Amino acid sequence: MSSDYPSFSGFKLNKQLLSAISDAGFEHPTAIQQKAIPQILAGVDLLGIAQTGTGKTAAYLLPVLMKIKFAQGDSPRALIIVPTRELATQVLEHMNKLGKYTDLRMAAVYGGVGIKPQIEQIEKGVDILVATPGRMMDLYSAEHLVLKKIQMLILDEAERLLDMGFKRQIDKILGIVPMKKQNLLFSATMSDRIQLLTDSFLDRPVVIRIEPERRTAKSVSQVLYHVPNLKTKTNLLLHLLTDEAFRKTIIFCKTKATAANIGKYMERKFGEQQVRIIHGNKDQNTRMNAVKAFHAGEIRFLVATDVAARGLDILEVSHVINFDVPLVYEDYIHRIGRTGRAFQTGDSVTFCSPNDEYHLKKIQKLIGQKIPVMEIPAEVEIAETPNEENQLMLREIDGQRKKDDPEFAGAFQDKKGRKPQPFLSQRRKRT
Ligand code: AMP
């Protein structure tokens, strides 16, 4: 077995799990999976410092599914505590996928929805439970939930659990569940608070850290273009991509529609053989095949939305182009982190339209630096902003200002009847 390409069959997982892994399209374990799965299977407590997107969920789910093995009794034997309803449903979905060939009964409980169906489901018997702290404690206090059979307890996204003020509830939960059990804690970052939680929760834990190298990756250069509108973005994209240096490039777009349009445009310009498009409407196999072809160097450009790219092992690219500024700010770090690995250096280029400026500010705050601005090259045609696009942008900007200042009346409404100033002229002056 090559250490570069280890396989899931190297782990002590049963056939049911291996088949589900294969159905899910996972070919190789990710770094955290390689490190964590054998340790968790061996029964130790574990602290995993890893961000979303590293495959950390399957890193704990697979051993949990393996160890809880089959349906038994009525009360849960594994409990996964997560901060949000979204994450709860996501983890359940992931678990249903990986546990589909087992008879394990899995459920998720979270607030914001009726409690009755959750009570009914628990009463039918559950082997593995995913829960947000508040709803879980409600169910426990009302005696719908028995926790004395818990053998494995997982705190996922622990730093967010603490950020959201769940510390007291977590302490309570730790007081209720049996002392003797296997404990796992996953957090995107390490901090004093996480250290304290680790000390109180884990017994001589193995620590696995998947470095968020992206934050510090010096080999990745970043540049930013202020671009007035979609057409100019497209012109600039085409200009950049004609440079041979862009040899293995991902173009990230905010929406499926943009990804599809840009992808088609690029297919026309560079030939269908050079481009693949992945977004949420493409099935997992199509996405995996696209990524495979990209990795193999069969295609030069991959156009993707974040959602589609998340979780796919797209590493080692020469360039990342953010056709749009990502709205999930962490995604900026994830996106640019894909460059500059096997390639000695990687470049990331971000296009920022006027309605993106708000998000750009937040991203710059998150990464703690200003992204250097480049001027749009003279050869690139700067197109007029169509009125409709201009209006949409203005409306979005109004919404952003209102978010920060609820008193803000909205410049857009004030300009009734008057054609709003297009962004083009403003940008021209700056450059
Ligand atoms: P996570 O970091 O757990 O949020 O996982 C992010 C995404 O990676 C999910 O969409 C998983 O389905 C996907 N994923 C997890 N493990 C693998 C793997 N070994 N190969 C490909 N995709 C994976």
Side-chain angles (χ1 to χ4, degrees):
M1 186 174 77
S2 140
S3 62
D4 280 349
Y5 292 103
S7 83
F8 281 99
S9 55
F11 300 130
K12 293 190 179 113
L13 297 172
N14 59 27
K15 258 219 227 86
Q16 288 97 316
L17 294 176
L18 291 174
S19 304
I21 290 167
S22 157
D23 288 357
F26 298 176
E27 294 196 339
H28 305 288
T30 63
I32 181 109
Q33 289 162 2
Q34 285 170 46
K35 291 185 179 163
I37 291 174
Q39 298 282 1
I40 304 175
L41 285 174
V44 299
D45 278 10
L46 182 137
L47 168 65
I49 305 294
Q51 297 186 343
T52 313
T54 52
K56 57 150 175 94
T57 319
Y60 68 75
L61 283 181
L62 286 166
V64 167
L65 289 163
M66 182 65 198
K67 297 186 104 179
I68 302 299
K69 223 161 190 160
F70 38 72
Q72 196 179 77
D74 292 325
S75 59
R77 283 168 292 144
L79 175 62
I80 302 162
I81 303 286
V82 298
T84 62
R85 166 183 167 176
E86 289 71 29
L87 189 59
T89 53
Q90 230 169 288
V91 170
L92 178 65
E93 224 171 81
H94 212 124
M95 186 156 56
N96 279 327
K97 199 162 71 175
L98 295 174
K100 69 182 193 188
Y101 295 120
T102 73
D103 68 348
L104 288 163
R105 295 154 303 169
M106 314 164 201
V109 294
Y110 42 80
V113 294
I115 199 164
K116 239 172 129 201
Q118 297 180 351
I119 295 174
E120 283 165 15
Q121 191 169 19
I122 289 172
E123 280 171 354
K124 278 192 227 150
V126 170
D127 299 296
I128 306 175
L129 184 69
V130 190
T132 53
R135 176 56 59 95
M136 205 211 77
M137 284 310 294
D138 290 347
L139 287 161
Y140 178 78
S141 306
E143 298 186 2
H144 293 298
L145 193 57
V146 174
L147 295 175
K148 58 179 190 241
K149 294 276 173 60
I150 296 295
Q151 301 165 10
M152 297 183 87
L153 177 59
I154 298 100
L155 298 187
D156 194 3
E157 302 210 354
E159 81 294 350
R160 272 175 83 198
L161 280 166
L162 297 179
D163 281 348
M164 292 174 70
F166 286 131
K167 176 75 170 74
R168 284 242 313 268
Q169 269 149 329
I170 289 171
D171 286 343
K172 255 195 214 155
I173 295 167
L174 297 184
I176 297 166
V177 291
M179 283 280 280
K180 197 169 167 302
K181 63 184 174 333
Q182 186 175 12
N183 301 301
L184 313 174
L185 190 153
F186 287 86
S187 173
T189 51
M190 193 57 197
S191 64
D192 290 349
R193 290 185 315 167
I194 294 293
Q195 188 60 55
L196 276 176
L197 189 60
T198 301
D199 294 345
S200 68
F201 174 51
L202 303 176
D203 179 21
R204 284 164 295 156
V206 167
V207 181
I208 291 174
R209 194 185 285 268
I210 300 301
E211 290 298 337
E213 69 251 65
R214 302 127 176 179
R215 271 181 205 280
T216 50
K218 295 220 172 60
S219 53
V220 180
S221 77
Q222 303 172 58
V223 298
L224 181 84
Y225 290 95
H226 289 286
V227 192
N229 50 41
L230 186 66
K231 181 76 182 80
T232 314
K233 278 187 179 181
T234 313
N235 293 345
L236 179 58
L237 180 72
L238 190 63
H239 173 80
L240 293 175
L241 296 184
T242 41
D243 184 342
E244 299 263 298
F246 286 72
R247 56 200 191 288
K248 212 171 184 188
T249 302
I250 309 187
I251 296 103
F252 281 108
C253 303
K254 201 155 48 186
T255 65
K256 277 180 240 173
T258 316
N261 288 337
I262 294 301
K264 274 195 211 112
Y265 176 79
M266 287 174 56
E267 279 174 359
R268 282 200 301 276
K269 294 286 171 190
F270 295 97
E272 280 184 23
Q273 306 314 322
Q274 297 280 349
V275 187
R276 288 273 203 298
I277 311 161
I278 55 172
H279 55 62
N281 286 357
K282 307 248 171 185
D283 63 51
Q284 184 76 2
N285 267 347
T286 312
R287 296 189 218 172
M288 299 285 293
N289 288 339
V291 171
K292 241 193 231 158
F294 185 65
H295 273 315
E298 290 159 20
I299 54 168
R300 208 176 134 202
F301 305 121
L302 193 64
V303 185
T305 57
D306 281 301
V307 177
R310 199 164 291 148
L312 292 177
D313 200 15
I314 313 172
L315 301 171
E316 302 179 2
V317 304
S318 69
H319 290 76
V320 162
I321 296 182
N322 295 312
F323 192 83
D324 304 297
V325 170
L327 300 186
V328 175
Y329 306 137
E330 285 278 344
D331 283 344
Y332 179 81
I333 300 165
H334 295 175
R335 286 181 182 186
I336 70 166
R338 300 185 188 281
T339 68
R341 295 186 192 214
F343 291 96
Q344 290 300 316
T345 59
D347 294 314
S348 78
V349 180
T350 300
F351 296 173
C352 179
S353 50
N355 52 331
D356 283 335
E357 304 270 351
Y358 173 87
H359 305 294
L360 174 69
K361 257 192 220 134
K362 306 230 163 181
I363 287 170
Q364 298 196 134
K365 199 163 160 210
L366 176 75
I367 60 173
Q369 67 185 98
K370 277 212 146 53
I371 308 168
V373 177
M374 296 266 280
E375 286 187 17
I376 297 177
E379 310 87 288
V380 175
E381 189 202 330
I382 299 188
E384 284 271 1
T385 309
N387 196 32
E388 196 183 336
E389 190 183 350
N390 203 42
Q391 303 245 0
L392 278 175
M393 285 198 281
L394 283 171
R395 198 165 286 148
E396 212 178 307
I397 291 168
D398 260 15
Q400 294 161 356
R401 285 205 202 147
K402 274 189 201 141
K403 223 189 256 172
D404 286 348
D405 173 14
E407 304 281 293
F408 178 69
F412 187 71
Q413 285 94 324
D414 294 345
K415 291 198 173 138
K416 240 192 229 160
R418 251 178 51 198
K419 196 177 164 197
Q421 183 75 358
F423 287 104
L424 170 63
S425 46
Q426 297 163 14
R427 288 290 159 227
R428 269 284 191 215
K429 266 180 218 139
R430 282 176 71 136
T431 54

